[in-house]
Amino acid sequence: MSRVRVVSLVPSLTEAVAVSAPGALVAATDWCTHPAGLDVARAGGTKNLAVDRITALAPDLVIANEEENRQPDLDALRAAGLDVLVTHVRTLPQAFTELDRVLTACGVRSRPGWLDAAEAAWEAPPAFQEPRTAVVPIWRRPWMVLGRDTFAGDLLARLGVRTLYADHSERYPRIPLDELRAARPDVVVLPDEPYRFTADDGPEAFPGLPCALLSGRHLTWYGPSLAKAPEVLGRALRTVRR
């Protein structure tokens, strides 16, 4: 059976396919940074795809995500006759289900070891004994935070950290900085993607509040990084900056 030729428009799925189906990927987005040394054609950004370039490659399958990719781009790829698989991930169980679906579609015949390791790692992740509350900015100028029904929020909840805006009507609400400060969370979680918060860019906006700088790859990606995510995130959450 010939190998399925795949274009991935989702960084975490690019990594999953690259390590599980070597040689299947023919293109990925500019934001697909893993695995290290990935050498494939580039398909533009997740939000501004090079549709003509992707179409010219004539892949057997295009992998996308409802949140990361724009519907008009996906419609254009389908109109060009391409098979587009769109993932929907709001929780950890959904992530595992979608990973199985994607890898099967890419021709992976045996379950990869990293996927077993990821499921095992999340069976009983190390969590705070006393639940903590958090504000989780994902952007600034304007300030945006995790709201309801998000994958990252689900991971944090499994580690004993409840996001204060988990019941908000929006998934990524814009909240004024003064309101975020006044919420007085136990910790402000600052991931390095999609906005790249750093020790010098983020904590200064929350004087007097503990801040945890987290790996966005381990908080928001659903792929091989999930196997180490409980350990990486837990360690960062326990080492907070005041």
Side-chain angles (χ1 to χ4, degrees), residues 40-234:
V40 295
R42 295 296 170 167
T46 55
K47 295 289 193 292
N48 56 336
L49 299 172
V51 173
D52 291 344
R53 195 181 310 159
I54 297 169
T55 303
L57 290 169
D60 301 301
L61 180 67
V62 178
I63 304 169
N65 175 263
E66 49 137 1
E67 191 170 49
E68 295 197 47
N69 308 121
R70 296 171 58 249
Q71 189 61 47
D73 290 334
L74 304 184
D75 290 342
L77 292 171
R78 287 192 175 106
L82 299 183
D83 183 9
V84 181
L85 185 161
V86 181
T87 57
H88 301 261
V89 176
R90 306 290 177 88
T91 67
L92 182 64
Q94 280 183 319
F96 289 135
T97 297
E98 292 288 61
L99 283 165
D100 275 328
R101 184 165 73 105
V102 166
L103 295 178
T104 298
C106 292
V108 177
R109 295 291 175 254
S110 59
R111 187 177 172 85
W114 65 260
L115 190 49
D116 288 332
E119 289 196 332
W122 282 99
E123 284 181 357
F128 293 105
Q129 292 184 349
E130 295 294 330
R132 292 191 178 186
T133 60
V135 162
V136 190
I138 58 166
W139 204 258
R140 66 185 301 176
R141 294 184 292 273
W143 286 93
M144 299 174 67
V145 301
L146 290 186
R148 63 169 181 84
D149 198 21
T150 67
F151 175 68
D154 185 57
L155 291 195
L156 288 172
R158 294 169 188 275
L159 296 172
V161 179
R162 180 178 66 85
T163 57
L164 285 180
Y165 293 92
D167 296 325
H168 197 281
S169 60
E170 298 179 18
R171 298 185 65 221
Y172 303 104
R174 297 185 181 188
I175 308 293
L177 181 57
D178 287 347
E179 183 177 329
L180 296 179
R181 291 168 173 163
R184 303 303 298 177
D186 294 322
V187 62
V188 179
V189 172
L190 298 169
D192 61 11
E193 62 176 80
Y195 185 91
R196 187 173 179 79
F197 288 106
T198 67
D200 300 318
D201 185 356
E204 82 291 341
F206 300 94
L209 291 175
C211 293
L213 297 169
L214 264 61
S215 161
R217 176 169 169 260
H218 291 90
L219 181 63
T220 64
W221 287 31
Y222 47 101
S225 58
L226 280 173
K228 294 292 185 183
E231 174 190 347
V232 172
L233 298 177

Side-chain angles (χ1 to χ4, degrees), residues 20 34 207:
S20 305
H34 288 71

